């Protein structure tokens, strides 16, 4: 059974950098059939795709966040990560990591989500 | 404002049939990109409900079905049950937003 688990600081100060890691179990980050994404959801609002990283290291980001986002993968640890710079209160959200199908572009496995609050 | 438009809420009585629409444009659904649907019970992660417009993952009851036509897609739930009360999101791909996977704003389903 594929499982994803987000980890990282739950509280980040404004203007600082948000960093999260997603640990994959039951599958290999090296799998060429999938890409690995971060998706976020502010309280009471909808889902926003942040970006994706593939096993080859190629990335694609939401244009609205592109200037502040970096994603990378670590095949030795079966993990991938998210870095979001210059955060503001608007970046407060539940952050999910998810596995995406490279052919259909759907997300079939999701982490439980982690609430990250931006506050001083 | 979401790239894909969904009604904010729908409701129905147990046993009834409801439909949730998802309207896009010529750069996403209308361009032929597939639509996928997710169910999210409050406080939990979204769950894949329909993929590739009409396909159900293993374990999803056949009460849930999807369709797509032109620039729109729909999720239909028949034989509504209390446990279906949740938020539902459509998702597709948009060619105007390089590499972007886009979501609808979500629809809150209330079972009366």
């Amino acid at each position: 059974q594929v499982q994803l688990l987000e980890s990282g600081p739950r509280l980040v100060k404004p203007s600082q950098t948000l960093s999260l890691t997603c640990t994959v179990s039951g599958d290999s980050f090296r799998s060429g059939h999938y890409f690995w994404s971060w998706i976020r959801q502010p309280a009471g609002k909808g889902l926003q795709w942040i970006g994706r990283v593939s096993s080859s290291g190629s990335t694609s980001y939401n244009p609205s966040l592109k200037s502040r986002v970096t994603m990378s993968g670590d095949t030795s640890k079966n993990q991938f990560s998210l870095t979001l710079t210059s955060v503001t209160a608007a970046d407060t959200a539940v952050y999910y990591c998810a596995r995406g199908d490279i052919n259909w572009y759907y997300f079939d496995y999701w982490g439980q989500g982690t609430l990250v609050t931006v506050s001083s | 404002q979401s790239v894909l438009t969904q009604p904010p809420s729908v409701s129905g009585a147990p046993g009834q049939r409801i439909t949730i629409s998802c309207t896009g444009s010529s750069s996403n659904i209308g361009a032929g990109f597939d639509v996928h649907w997710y169910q999210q019970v409050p406080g939990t992660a979204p769950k894949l409900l329909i993929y590739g417009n009409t396909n159900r993952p293993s374990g999803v009851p056949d009460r849930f079905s999807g369709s797509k036509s032109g620039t729109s897609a729909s999720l239909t739930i028949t034989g509504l049950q209390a446990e279906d009360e949740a938020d539902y999101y459509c998702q597709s791909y948009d060619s105007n937003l390089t590499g972007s996977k886009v979501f609808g704003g979500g629809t809150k389903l209330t079972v009366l």
Side-chain angles (χ1 to χ4, degrees):
Chain A
Q1 178 72 351
V2 178
Q3 292 185 316
L4 296 90
L5 184 63
E6 303 90 350
S7 60
R10 304 299 197 263
L11 180 64
V12 182
K13 289 182 167 46
S15 79
Q16 294 194 342
T17 296
L18 179 160
S19 295
L20 294 173
T21 297
C22 183
T23 301
V24 181
S25 58
D27 191 9
S28 172
F29 177 76
R30 291 197 193 101
S31 171
H33 300 293
Y34 304 104
F35 59 86
W36 307 89
S37 271
W38 289 95
I39 296 159
R40 70 182 184 179
Q41 184 174 36
K45 297 189 177 180
L47 301 164
Q48 182 184 37
W49 178 76
I50 300 171
R52 66 103 176 123
V53 58
S54 68
S55 58
S56 66
S58 69
T59 55
S60 178
Y61 303 131
N62 186 318
S64 69
L65 298 169
K66 187 175 183 177
S67 64
R68 300 193 291 131
V69 173
T70 303
M71 293 182 186
S72 63
D74 186 332
T75 56
S76 65
K77 295 182 179 179
N78 223 29
Q79 294 176 334
F80 61 104
S81 64
L82 165 70
T83 299
L84 181 66
T85 62
S86 304
V87 298
T88 69
D91 295 309
T92 294
V94 174
Y95 286 75
Y96 296 100
C97 57
R99 188 181 82 169
D101 185 279
I102 62 167
N103 294 311
W104 296 74
Y105 302 137
Y106 61 76
F107 302 101
D108 57 354
Y109 288 96
W110 296 62
Q112 63 185 15
T114 186
L115 173 61
V116 178
T117 302
V118 178
S119 175
S120 55
Chain B
Q1 192 159 351
S2 302
V3 173
L4 305 178
T5 301
Q6 297 180 235
S9 63
V10 298
S11 62
Q16 285 189 333
R17 170 189 176 188
I18 65 96
T19 297
I20 298 172
S21 62
C22 174
T23 303
S25 67
S26 58
S27 63
N28 42 68
I29 299 175
F33 295 111
D34 292 314
V35 178
H36 320 294
W37 291 90
Y38 302 85
Q39 177 191 60
Q40 185 180 33
V41 175
T44 69
K47 168 192 169 186
L48 180 64
L49 203 60
I50 298 287
Y51 68 93
N53 308 312
T54 61
N55 303 288
R56 284 187 308 276
S58 174
V60 174
D62 59 6
R63 302 185 294 105
F64 296 89
S65 63
S67 65
K68 174 190 162 185
S69 178
T71 58
S72 296
S74 294
L75 171 71
T76 298
I77 309 174
T78 57
L80 206 56
Q81 299 181 4
E83 67 204 50
D84 299 332
E85 186 161 295
D87 296 319
Y88 292 83
Y89 294 90
C90 61
Q91 178 242 316
S92 187
Y93 178 96
D94 194 291
S95 59
N96 278 354
L97 306 169
T98 308
S100 276
K101 290 59 174 172
V102 291
F103 289 93
T107 299
K108 169 68 176 177
L109 168 61
T110 300
V111 180
L112 302 170

